[in-house]
C-alpha cells in the first residue's frame, strides 16, 4: 500500500469537483468560509476549474472535463493534498476519463471526500494500491465552530492523529441551508453503538430475538438472551479486531461491482494475510436496497477474507422498518455467516458527524460496548 506524505505547515491544499461543485448555496458560502479558515492556518490553496461550475448532470461539469481535472490535479506536483468540493450523483460517469495508470505512477497524495467520492477513495486503494481518506468534503469546513470531526480530519491529513474515537452526539436533521450556510451540526441524538460478536453477544434486540446461536455460559456473555448487561471483568477491551480498511458509500460500491473497475477480488487476495475490515454506509438506499446490496457484494465474493465490519447509520433507515425488519437486520443477515465482529451505527457517512478513515490502512478497533476507537497504522 502506498501512503502519501502528510500535509505540512504552509503546504498547499488543492480542490476539485469530480462530483458536485460549490456553485450554489449553502455550499458556496461554506466553501468560501472554509478557505478563510485554511488561509489563517497558513495553508496555500489551489482550485480546479470545476469548483464553482454547475454545468453537468449530477456532477459539476461534463464527465470528460471532470475526469481530466481529477487526473491533472492528482498528478500536479505543486499541491500536497486534495479535498473534494462535494458529493453528488454521477461521479461514476467520469471514470472512463480518469487516467488511473497515470495516477498509479504519480507521487501519491492524500485525497479526501465521501459519498459519491467513493468512486475515487475506493478505487485509489483497489486499482492504484494507494491510501485515501474517506472524510468530509470542503464546504463542511465552513461551519462555525468546527466540530471535532473536522478537526480530526485535518489532524489526520497532517499526520498528527491516526486514532479516532466515536463522537457523543449526531444529527438526524441538518439546519444548514441557504440562509444558514455556516450552521454547525444539529446534534440532537445520543450516539449508541450496536454490536454483534462471533460468540453471540449483541445489544441489538431485533437480532437477539432471532435464531442466532448464543453461548450458555452466562459469566462470559452477560445474559442468555444475548443482551450484554456489562462487559466481562477479565477483558477491558472485550471487542477487539483488526484488518485493512476498505469501503465507502454502499450506493456507489454496488454500482462499481462487476464493472472493469471492480478489482476487489484481487485486492482481498493481495491482502489476505491482513484480512479486510469493511466500513460501509448508505445514503439513498432504503432497507430492502441495503439488503440487496449486501447480498450482491457477498455473492460477488467481496467479503472473502473479511475480519470485521464497521457499519454507519443509514440516512434513510434509522428508526424505520420495512417488511418486518430494521436496518440492523437489513445489513447483518447477509454477512452473519462470516462469524466476525460487527459494529453498527458508527460515525461514518451521511448522518453527521463522520469519523475520517484511511481507506487502505491497517486498523485496530477497540470497544467496551459503549465507546469505541479506530487506530490506523500506515503499513
Amino acid at each position: 500500500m502506498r501512503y502519501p506524505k502528510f500535509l505540512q505547515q504552509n503546504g498547499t491544499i488543492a480542490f476539485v469537483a469530480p462530483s458536485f461543485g460549490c456553485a450554489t448555496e449553502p455550499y458556496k458560502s461554506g466553501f468560501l468560509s472554509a478557505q478563510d479558515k485554511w488561509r489563517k492556518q497558513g495553508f496555500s490553496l489551489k482550485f480546479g476549474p470545476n469548483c464553482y461550475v454547475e454545468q453537468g448532470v449530477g456532477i459539476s461539469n461534463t464527465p470528460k472535463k471532470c475526469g481530466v481535472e481529477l487526473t491533472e490535479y492528482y498528478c500536479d506536483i505543486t499541491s500536497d493534498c486534495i479535498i473534494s468540493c462535494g458529493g453528488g450523483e454521477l461521479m461514476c460517469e467520469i471514470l472512463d476519463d480518469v487516467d488511473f495508470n497515470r495516477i498509479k505512477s504519480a507521487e501519491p497524495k492524500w485525497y479526501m471526500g465521501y459519498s459519491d467520492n467513493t468512486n475515487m477513495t475506493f478505487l485509489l486503494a483497489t486499482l492504484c494500491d494507494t491510501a485515501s481518506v474517506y472524510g468530509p468534503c470542503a464546504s463542511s469546513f465552513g461551519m462555525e465552530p468546527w466540530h471535532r470531526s473536522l478537526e480530526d480530519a485535518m489532524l489526520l491529513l497532517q499526520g498528527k492523529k491516526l486514532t479516532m474515537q466515536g463522537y457523543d452526539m449526531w444529527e438526524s436533521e441538518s439546519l444548514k441551508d441557504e440562509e444558514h450556510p455556516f450552521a454547525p451540526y444539529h446534534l440532537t441524538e445520543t450516539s449508541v453503538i450496536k454490536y454483534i460478536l462471533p460468540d453471540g453477544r449483541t445489544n441489538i434486540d431485533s437480532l437477539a430475538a432471532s435464531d442466532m446461536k448464543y453461548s450458555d455460559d452466562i459469566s462470559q456473555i452477560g445474559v442468555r438472551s444475548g443482551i450484554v448487561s456489562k462487559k466481562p471483568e477479565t477483558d477491558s477491551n472485550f471487542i477487539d479486531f483488526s484488518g485493512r480498511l476498505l469501503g465507502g458509500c454502499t450506493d456507489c460500491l454496488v454500482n462499481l461491482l462487476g464493472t472493469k473497475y471492480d478489482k476487489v477480488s484481487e485486492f482481498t487476495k493481495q491482502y489476505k494475510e491482513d484480512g479486510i475490515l469493511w466500513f460501509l454506509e448508505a445514503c439513498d438506499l432504503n432497507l430492502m436496497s441495503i439488503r440487496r446490496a449486501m447480498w450482491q457484494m457477498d455473492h460477488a465474493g467481496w467479503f472473502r477474507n473479511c475480519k470485521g465490519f464497521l457499519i454507519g447509520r443509514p440516512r434513510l433507515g434509522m428508526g424505520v422498518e420495512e417488511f418486518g425488519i430494521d436496518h440492523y437486520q437489513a445489513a447483518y443477515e447477509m454477512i452473519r455467516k462470516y462469524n466476525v465482529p460487527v459494529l453498527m451505527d458508527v460515525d461514518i457517512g451521511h448522518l453527521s458527524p463522520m469519523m475520517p478513515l484511511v481507506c487502505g490502512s491497517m486498523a485496530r478497533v477497540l470497544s467496551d460496548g459503549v465507546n469505541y476507537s479506530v487506530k490506523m497504522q500506515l503499513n
Side-chain angles (χ1 to χ4, degrees):
M1 182 62 57
R2 303 194 310 160
Y3 295 102
K5 296 177 181 177
F6 290 115
L7 176 63
Q8 300 298 307
Q9 185 67 32
N10 301 319
T12 299
I13 305 173
F15 303 92
V16 294
S19 193
F20 280 142
C22 294
T24 60
E25 297 296 351
Y27 308 106
K28 184 174 182 179
S29 291
F31 188 31
L32 292 173
S33 173
Q35 293 172 36
D36 184 59
K37 296 176 187 296
W38 281 313
R39 287 192 178 102
K40 288 180 178 177
Q41 293 174 359
F43 298 113
S44 298
L45 309 180
K46 188 169 184 178
F47 306 95
N50 298 319
C51 288
Y52 297 107
V53 174
E54 189 185 18
Q55 298 178 2
V57 178
I59 51 179
S60 62
N61 211 324
T62 66
K64 177 71 173 180
K65 289 181 178 180
C66 288
V68 169
E69 177 193 56
L70 185 54
T71 301
E72 293 300 324
Y73 272 71
Y74 191 92
C75 298
D76 177 21
I77 63 173
T78 66
S79 65
D80 301 302
C81 72
I82 296 175
I83 301 178
S84 177
C85 284
E89 298 293 343
L90 294 174
M91 186 176 168
C92 59
E93 293 186 0
I94 82 167
L95 296 179
D96 289 345
D97 294 300
V98 177
D99 190 340
F100 284 104
N101 289 327
R102 184 178 169 196
I103 287 174
K104 187 174 182 179
S105 300
E107 184 74 16
K109 68 173 62 174
W110 291 114
Y111 179 97
M112 183 166 74
Y114 82 112
S115 190
D116 208 18
N117 289 279
T118 297
N119 287 284
M120 182 63 169
T121 57
F122 186 78
L123 295 183
L124 276 173
T126 57
L127 296 185
C128 304
D129 205 35
T130 300
S132 61
V133 179
Y134 196 74
C137 295
S139 64
S140 295
F141 291 90
M143 74 171 57
E144 294 282 359
W146 272 8
H147 184 267
R148 180 164 61 93
S149 60
L150 299 177
E151 296 175 354
D152 285 347
M154 290 308 299
L155 290 172
L156 191 157
L157 289 176
Q158 297 171 80
K160 297 179 179 179
K161 184 174 183 180
L162 291 176
T163 298
M164 302 297 164
Q165 291 81 27
Y167 308 111
D168 295 333
M169 304 284 289
W170 60 279
E171 68 171 12
S172 62
E173 185 175 357
S174 175
L175 297 181
K176 185 177 179 178
D177 57 24
E178 292 183 6
E179 296 181 357
H180 306 91
F182 315 126
Y185 293 139
H186 184 215
L187 303 174
T188 59
E189 311 299 318
T190 300
S191 295
V192 180
I193 63 164
K194 302 295 184 178
Y195 55 83
I196 314 102
L197 305 182
D199 61 8
R201 284 179 286 165
T202 182
N203 63 346
I204 303 175
D205 291 335
S206 60
L207 293 179
S210 72
D211 62 349
M212 293 176 63
K213 296 180 180 179
Y214 300 103
S215 168
D216 287 329
D217 189 343
I218 297 177
S219 66
Q220 290 184 8
I221 68 171
V223 292
R224 289 190 63 183
S225 66
I227 305 300
V228 173
S229 59
K230 63 179 182 178
K231 63 187 178 183
E233 296 179 358
T234 58
D235 188 358
S236 60
N237 291 314
F238 77 105
I239 303 175
D240 184 349
F241 57 104
S242 301
R244 191 167 292 275
L245 285 170
L246 185 66
C249 180
T250 305
D251 310 42
C252 302
L253 292 174
V254 294
N255 196 55
L256 295 171
L257 197 155
T259 69
K260 66 180 181 180
Y261 301 105
D262 179 3
K263 302 298 181 183
V264 174
S265 294
E266 292 87 338
F267 185 88
T268 58
K269 183 178 180 180
Q270 178 182 355
Y271 292 107
K272 179 179 179 179
E273 296 303 315
D274 300 328
I276 305 301
L277 202 170
W278 281 93
F279 65 92
L280 301 168
E281 56 101 3
C283 177
D284 294 330
L285 303 182
N286 61 24
L287 299 189
M288 294 299 104
S289 299
I290 290 172
R291 185 145 171 164
R292 286 192 293 267
M294 298 299 286
W295 181 93
Q296 189 174 1
M297 289 187 284
D298 170 34
H299 281 72
W302 278 26
F303 298 146
R304 293 192 189 102
N305 305 319
C306 65
K307 290 293 187 67
F309 292 86
L310 298 174
I311 299 180
R313 298 177 289 266
R315 190 176 68 87
L316 299 183
M318 294 296 291
V320 302
E321 287 192 0
E322 293 181 26
F323 296 96
I325 68 169
D326 57 22
H327 71 278
Y328 304 114
Q329 294 161 306
Y332 182 67
E333 290 300 327
M334 297 297 108
I335 59 174
R336 57 187 299 180
K337 65 184 180 182
Y338 293 102
N339 203 36
V340 295
V342 179
L343 290 191
M344 302 187 73
D345 291 352
V346 299
D347 297 308
I348 305 171
H350 288 76
L351 292 178
S352 301
M354 65 178 305
M355 173 187 296
L357 295 176
V358 177
C359 185
S361 70
M362 284 295 296
R364 182 182 183 186
V365 178
L366 296 175
S367 177
D368 60 4
V370 178
N371 305 298
Y372 68 99
S373 65
V374 181
K375 181 178 181 181
M376 293 168 282
Q377 295 180 316
L378 308 188
N379 56 19

